[in-house]
Amino acid sequence: WNRCQMLSIKGINRTVGQEQQAGMKEKQVLEDLETHLARRETEALFQEQPETGNQYLEDTLLRSYLKTHLPPKVLEEVHRDLERFGNRLLTKIQPLSWECELNPPVFQQYDAWGRRVDHIHTCSAWRRMKEISAEEGLIAEAYEKRYSNWSRLYQAVKLYLFSSSSGGFSCPLAMTDGAAKVIESLGIPGSLKNAFDRLTSRDPEKFWTSGQWMTERRGGSDVANGTETVARKQPDGTYRLYGFKWFTSAADSDVTLTLARIADAEGQCTQGSRGLSLFFLRVRDEEGKLNSIQVQRLKDKLGTRQMATAELCLQGTRAELISAEGRGVAAISNMLNITRVHNVIGAVAAMRRMISLSRDYARKRVAFGKLLKDHPLHMQTIARMEVQVRGAFLLLMEIVRLLGLAETNLASEQEQLLLRLLIPVAKLYTGKQASAVAVEAMESFGGQGYMEDTGLPVILRDALVLSIWEGTTNILSLDVLRSLAKSQGQVMAVFLSTVQ
């Protein structure tokens, strides 16, 4: 009956005998018609995929900022490199990012013969991201200081462009940058020279990433009361660590910084923050064996699934004391400042990515007889988000400009005070902002925004962590209050005069 119906649709009316005689020709007509009808039915379901080009060239605000602030010679060199980097992001790095999402890390506790191996398997795309990070100098740029006080800002711009295409590799980079900063602030002791050189290397063969192991079973930001790990001094001057690290991001890193309490001759430890000291350790030895570490499990997270986060048991892990005894929290504060700046970079990058896709979609998607860009209410929504991300971007740029001045000893006392205030404020605000903008932008795609294979839910899930790690909103609020109290109100006076 279907075949007869198809024939009558085409205006072909024949007897069965005639149909058989012209069988081949009519069969082809039927197949063509069926294909056409099937295509017409599915074409109605297809929508134009939003796409972006070179993220650097398309970011007019970024280019305008650099043109306004950078010295001409620096701008010329930076522009060439960023245009090249933008093309590499588009053609090479973005496909790797999606591969990281589709192939999250897998934990193998035992081998086939029952031997404990505690191996965290990461995909080839994740390992390639590490190589690319070294090749692009995503950490090195800030420490080579090729452009003096502008080096930190330039590094931040590259990280901003890289972030939304990094497949989650921005997180280990944040902690690597933080570890390098801590070691630099200690004067790069001889025992840490090799580690510093590797953390800031451009050579993929030499480049190391670092973790940050501070959160224990009691969890959270209260490390003064939550840290139970004990350090026992050895005859050779090194230490052995014993404890349970409940949340270790980038568990596949090469080295890490961690807090522990040094036990005295009687095995007693000083409690509170005064009992905490900072240690440096290699995760594996030269043969690739774990440094007396047992991996308990990988964390099953809402987002940032591309990165291995684990629970680790330290069972006599060899480590080196790198802070003054009992000054661990003060020593690691440099790391927290850097990782909070990275958090802001990730927030602004996520917002920019979502809005860029939303804008492109508005130029292609037809609804109610016209393109979305021709619906005033839709454009008003996008405009509101655009204002949000522009403000966040300019705040980020101001922070890394001040950080660059501070790192090259060019910052005035007022600029140092302003930097101390703005880092927790910006981390607090942009962390909340990124989630809100990502949700709003997702809505601008309608139902397609909710579909996993568009990649949009990944951006939202990964953005949700930005208000949680490196200090929650209330913890950061208390940090701001401390800066006000410690400076006896000077911070607020500098802030108000700057704003005015």
Side-chain angles (χ1 to χ4, degrees):
W1 182 84
N2 282 337
R3 286 175 62 81
C4 292
Q5 186 184 46
M6 292 287 186
L7 288 170
S8 61
I9 288 171
K10 290 293 286 182
I12 303 171
N13 295 300
R14 292 196 176 111
T15 66
V16 173
Q18 288 172 318
E19 183 185 337
Q20 288 171 341
Q21 289 174 4
M24 291 300 293
K25 185 177 179 181
E26 290 169 2
K27 185 179 178 184
Q28 186 62 51
V29 170
L30 286 168
E31 286 178 357
D32 289 348
L33 183 56
E34 286 170 347
T35 302
H36 172 74
L37 288 173
R39 187 183 297 127
R40 193 173 67 186
E41 285 174 11
T42 54
E43 276 176 348
L45 301 175
F46 285 145
Q47 298 171 17
E48 288 289 336
Q49 180 182 350
E51 294 173 320
T52 57
N54 184 311
Q55 291 177 51
Y56 168 65
L57 294 179
E58 290 184 355
D59 196 328
T60 53
L61 179 61
L62 169 60
R63 293 181 62 191
S64 170
Y65 182 91
L66 296 178
K67 188 176 180 181
T68 304
H69 290 83
L70 292 185
K73 177 119 180 35
V74 175
L75 177 64
E76 184 183 342
E77 289 186 32
V78 160
H79 172 74
R80 280 200 305 271
D81 186 55
L82 291 177
E83 184 174 357
R84 175 204 58 78
F85 185 47
N87 287 330
R88 190 180 192 187
L89 284 168
L90 185 64
T91 58
K92 305 292 185 193
I93 300 175
Q94 278 187 16
L96 291 172
S97 172
W98 189 239
E99 198 176 323
C100 289
E101 177 65 24
L102 296 178
N103 298 280
V106 176
F107 175 46
Q108 179 190 1
Q109 198 163 38
Y110 297 95
D111 69 9
W113 305 102
R115 287 174 298 204
R116 182 126 188 197
V117 290
D118 283 4
H119 189 69
I120 297 171
H121 295 272
T122 55
C123 68
S124 59
W126 180 261
R127 299 192 295 275
R128 181 66 187 126
M129 285 294 191
K130 182 179 180 180
E131 295 171 354
I132 289 169
S133 298
E135 293 162 3
E136 292 292 344
L138 295 181
I139 303 301
E141 202 62 65
Y143 296 90
E144 293 168 350
K145 295 185 171 65
R146 289 192 298 164
Y147 303 119
S148 184
N149 58 295
W150 295 109
S151 291
R152 179 61 80 173
L153 186 141
Y154 177 44
Q155 180 218 24
V157 168
K158 289 197 81 168
L159 287 167
Y160 161 71
L161 293 171
F162 179 70
S163 182
S164 57
S165 303
S166 71
F169 205 82
S170 293
C171 182
L173 289 181
M175 290 176 286
T176 301
D177 197 353
K181 184 67 176 175
V182 168
I183 295 171
E184 185 184 57
S185 70
L186 296 171
I188 315 180
S191 61
L192 296 177
K193 176 72 166 63
N194 178 54
F196 180 79
D197 289 345
R198 284 177 173 273
L199 292 169
T200 58
S201 177
R202 289 178 180 266
D203 183 348
E205 295 295 317
K206 294 180 179 177
F207 182 56
W208 278 354
T209 57
S210 176
Q212 172 188 305
W213 300 355
M214 291 203 297
T215 309
E216 301 197 1
R217 273 180 285 210
R218 293 183 187 176
S221 302
D222 186 8
V223 294
N225 296 306
T227 302
E228 300 170 331
T229 300
V230 173
R232 302 188 188 279
K233 194 169 185 178
Q234 306 301 300
D236 63 358
T238 63
Y239 287 78
R240 294 278 186 177
L241 305 185
Y242 299 85
F244 192 90
K245 296 295 180 180
W246 184 77
F247 202 94
T248 60
S249 291
D252 61 320
S253 289
D254 304 279
V255 298
T256 193
L257 300 184
T258 189
L259 294 170
R261 301 185 189 279
I262 297 176
D264 60 21
E266 285 75 44
Q268 299 300 307
C269 301
T270 304
Q271 296 306 303
S273 62
R274 287 180 300 174
L276 293 174
S277 301
L278 185 62
F279 294 85
F280 169 87
L281 64 91
R282 291 279 305 273
V283 177
R284 294 179 179 272
D285 62 21
E286 300 299 335
E287 296 175 1
K289 293 180 180 176
L290 284 168
N291 178 7
S292 300
I293 298 167
Q294 273 196 351
V295 182
Q296 300 303 303
R297 62 171 178 163
L298 294 185
K299 295 292 199 181
D300 187 9
K301 298 167 292 180
L302 171 67
T304 63
R305 296 173 181 174
Q306 317 91 339
M307 177 189 62
T309 305
E311 293 177 12
L312 305 177
C313 190
L314 310 186
Q315 301 177 319
T317 304
R318 186 177 291 276
E320 177 185 347
L321 175 66
I322 63 172
S323 71
E325 192 169 330
R327 295 287 296 162
V329 174
I332 210 166
S333 62
N334 283 304
M335 184 176 213
L336 290 176
N337 272 339
I338 295 297
T339 53
R340 284 174 177 177
V341 171
H342 277 256
N343 205 93
V344 178
I345 292 169
V348 180
M351 289 189 281
R352 171 51 65 208
R353 180 69 180 154
M354 286 294 268
I355 293 171
S356 295
L357 291 168
S358 182
R359 284 164 58 96
D360 188 66
Y361 194 59
R363 297 189 192 102
K364 296 174 175 177
R365 169 72 166 149
V366 174
F368 302 103
K370 55 186 178 181
L371 292 167
L372 291 180
K373 74 179 183 64
D374 296 322
H375 289 278
L377 193 57
H378 188 85
M379 293 312 295
Q380 184 188 62
T381 303
I382 292 181
R384 283 203 193 103
M385 291 191 290
E386 182 67 34
V387 169
Q388 290 276 309
V389 75
R390 287 188 182 209
F393 172 83
L394 293 171
L395 181 58
L396 166 63
M397 289 295 102
E398 180 64 3
I399 287 170
V400 291
R401 184 187 72 82
L402 292 171
L403 182 58
L405 290 171
E407 290 179 328
T408 48
N409 299 314
L410 296 172
S412 66
E413 186 183 349
Q414 285 79 9
E415 286 168 330
Q416 289 176 30
L417 285 169
L418 193 59
L419 181 63
R420 169 71 182 85
L421 174 72
L422 287 182
I423 288 177
V425 167
K427 192 279 175 190
L428 179 159
Y429 190 72
T430 59
K432 293 292 228 195
Q433 197 179 22
S435 299
V437 169
V439 168
E440 191 73 67
M442 177 182 274
E443 189 180 333
S444 75
F445 294 95
Q448 283 298 92
Y450 202 64
M451 299 300 119
E452 281 290 347
D453 52 3
T454 64
L456 296 167
V458 176
I459 301 174
L460 173 60
R461 276 200 305 272
D462 289 356
L464 290 172
V465 81
L466 295 168
S467 65
I468 296 173
W469 61 17
E470 310 310 329
T472 56
T473 307
N474 286 348
I475 293 296
L476 292 160
S477 300
L478 295 174
D479 196 21
V480 170
L481 287 175
R482 272 193 297 276
S483 74
L484 292 175
K486 195 171 181 180
S487 69
Q488 296 181 312
Q490 276 185 285
V491 160
M492 187 53 74
V494 171
F495 174 74
L496 291 172
S497 65
T498 303
V499 169
Q500 286 164 2

